[in-house]
């Protein structure tokens, strides 16, 4: 498996309409070690005019930035609130990680 910096795209595929610009990651971390069912799980952080976003990327293969993505404005919630979100919970359970463990990882590694 190649280092995440070599294979992860900086773009999040999100657009900030208030700032009139596409969002790029300010930080990218690999969470695969806590997500045993994921081929690779990468968290991308970006700043939007509404706050800090964390995008969870569950890749189809370990060296290709393509797969399921879901994002949250983590500056507007706590780790417990994030873990309690239904979509977040399904995403975490699908990768075989407890939602609170993944939420805590996201908050601990934010820029």
């Amino acid at each position: 498996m190649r280092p995440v910096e070599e294979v992860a795209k900086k773009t999040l595929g999100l657009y900030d309409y208030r700032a009139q610009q596409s969002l790029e990651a300010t930080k990218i971390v690999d969470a695969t070690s806590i997500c045993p069912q994921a081929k690779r799980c990468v968290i991308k952080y970006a700043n939007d005019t509404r706050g800090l976003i964390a995008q969870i990327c569950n890749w189809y293969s370990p060296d290709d930035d393509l797969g399921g993505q879901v994002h949250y404005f983590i500056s507007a919630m706590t780790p417990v609130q994030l873990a309690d979100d239904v979509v977040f919970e399904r995403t975490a359970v699908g990768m075989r990680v407890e939602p609170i463990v993944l939420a805590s990882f996201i908050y601990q590694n934010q820029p």
Side-chain angles (χ1 to χ4, degrees):
M1 185 166 27
R2 296 189 331 213
V4 71
E5 297 82 16
E6 291 180 12
V7 291
K9 298 174 194 146
K10 295 268 302 178
T11 58
L12 276 72
L14 301 173
Y15 189 77
D16 183 344
Y17 287 97
R18 292 178 183 158
Q20 297 290 301
Q21 64 185 17
S22 294
L23 297 181
E24 287 200 354
T26 56
K27 184 176 182 181
I28 302 172
V29 295
D30 194 333
T32 308
S33 64
I34 64 166
C35 302
Q37 191 62 32
K39 299 268 191 226
R40 193 158 202 184
C41 178
V42 173
I43 311 299
K44 296 179 182 180
Y45 298 92
N47 289 302
D48 181 271
T49 52
R50 293 172 286 173
L52 181 62
I53 292 175
Q55 184 179 65
I56 305 155
C57 308
N58 183 6
W59 293 1
Y60 298 138
S61 69
D63 289 324
D64 189 13
D65 189 351
L66 182 65
Q69 299 176 356
V70 62
H71 66 274
Y72 292 89
F73 285 93
I74 63 170
S75 56
M77 57 194 344
T78 67
V80 172
Q81 290 171 318
L82 179 59
D84 285 343
D85 179 84
V86 174
V87 174
F88 183 88
E89 181 180 11
R90 291 271 184 210
T91 301
V93 169
M95 295 186 294
R96 297 288 194 271
V97 59
E98 290 293 323
I100 193 63
V101 171
L102 182 58
S104 296
F105 179 91
I106 289 168
Y107 279 85
Q108 289 166 357
N109 287 283
Q110 66 184 314

